[in-house]
Amino acid sequence: MSQHVIAVTEELVTPILEEENLELVEIEYTKEGANWFLRVYIDKEGGVDIEDCGRVSEKLSKKLDEADPIPGAYFLEVSSPGAERPLKKEKDFERAVGRHVHVTTYEPINGAKVFEGELISYDGKQLEIKEGKTSVVIPREKVASARLAIVF
């Protein structure tokens, strides 16, 4: 059910985002307590603002009402992915080169499953992350999750 809601939402929101020159980062459909939430994360060069989120939310809400893919009540949230944006698509990794990232892997690489440092390179097959004075090469298929990371 969850995958169906995400697929239909992506189909409905894509033309809206193209019209607004925005990018789809991620869609989540999740239950928290007694409530269901449909979250759509959007972005653009320089970041999105409250007006961008409001326009997309209004247009998407109308489309969802027409298509009615979700039985029962839910809350629609359209927002920015935030400073620690997830890296999911090829272009996300490409744009993150030179930035600080946090990566977890499905299995240990050099005895670790969590890596944080500068993404030195990404060639579509593997990432190279510099952690302090050392660097580690991680095959893309072993990446469980990746996101930009804030350095304090």
Side-chain angles (χ1 to χ4, degrees):
M1 177 62 186
S2 181
Q3 288 305 315
H4 170 73
V5 170
I6 290 169
V8 170
T9 303
E10 184 170 353
E11 194 176 298
L12 295 173
V13 79
T14 298
I16 296 168
L17 296 178
E18 286 172 358
E19 179 183 299
E20 297 281 340
N21 290 319
L22 297 166
E23 170 192 356
L24 177 63
V25 174
E26 186 174 20
I27 298 173
E28 294 177 343
Y29 182 59
T30 184
K31 188 171 187 178
E32 294 178 8
N35 299 312
W36 281 92
F37 291 86
L38 178 60
R39 294 189 176 105
V40 179
Y41 297 97
I42 61 174
D43 208 358
K44 69 179 177 189
E45 195 67 41
V48 293
D49 58 28
I50 193 81
E51 287 81 21
D52 294 323
C53 295
R55 282 192 312 276
V56 172
S57 179
E58 191 175 310
K59 291 176 181 181
L60 178 57
S61 182
K62 287 178 186 171
K63 296 255 188 205
L64 286 166
D65 287 348
E66 291 167 11
D68 199 22
I70 304 171
Y74 64 95
F75 294 96
L76 172 64
E77 295 178 355
V78 177
S79 66
S80 160
E84 295 194 335
R85 173 189 172 141
L87 305 175
K88 301 223 176 235
K89 302 173 188 144
E90 294 298 307
K91 65 182 175 181
D92 295 338
F93 285 96
E94 290 164 5
R95 278 197 302 236
V97 171
R99 305 206 35 208
H100 201 80
V101 297
H102 179 92
V103 175
T104 58
T105 57
Y106 290 113
E107 57 192 56
I109 296 173
N110 299 341
K113 290 175 74 173
V114 177
F115 304 90
E116 191 162 315
E118 182 185 347
L119 180 59
I120 306 243
S121 67
Y122 176 70
D123 66 6
K125 292 186 170 70
Q126 58 189 26
L127 310 92
E128 183 179 0
I129 298 174
K130 183 177 182 193
E131 293 185 300
K133 293 185 188 321
T134 62
S135 67
V136 63
V137 174
I138 303 169
R140 174 71 175 90
E141 71 271 4
K142 294 196 178 183
V143 173
S145 69
R147 62 175 168 76
L148 293 178
I150 302 294
V151 182
F152 292 99

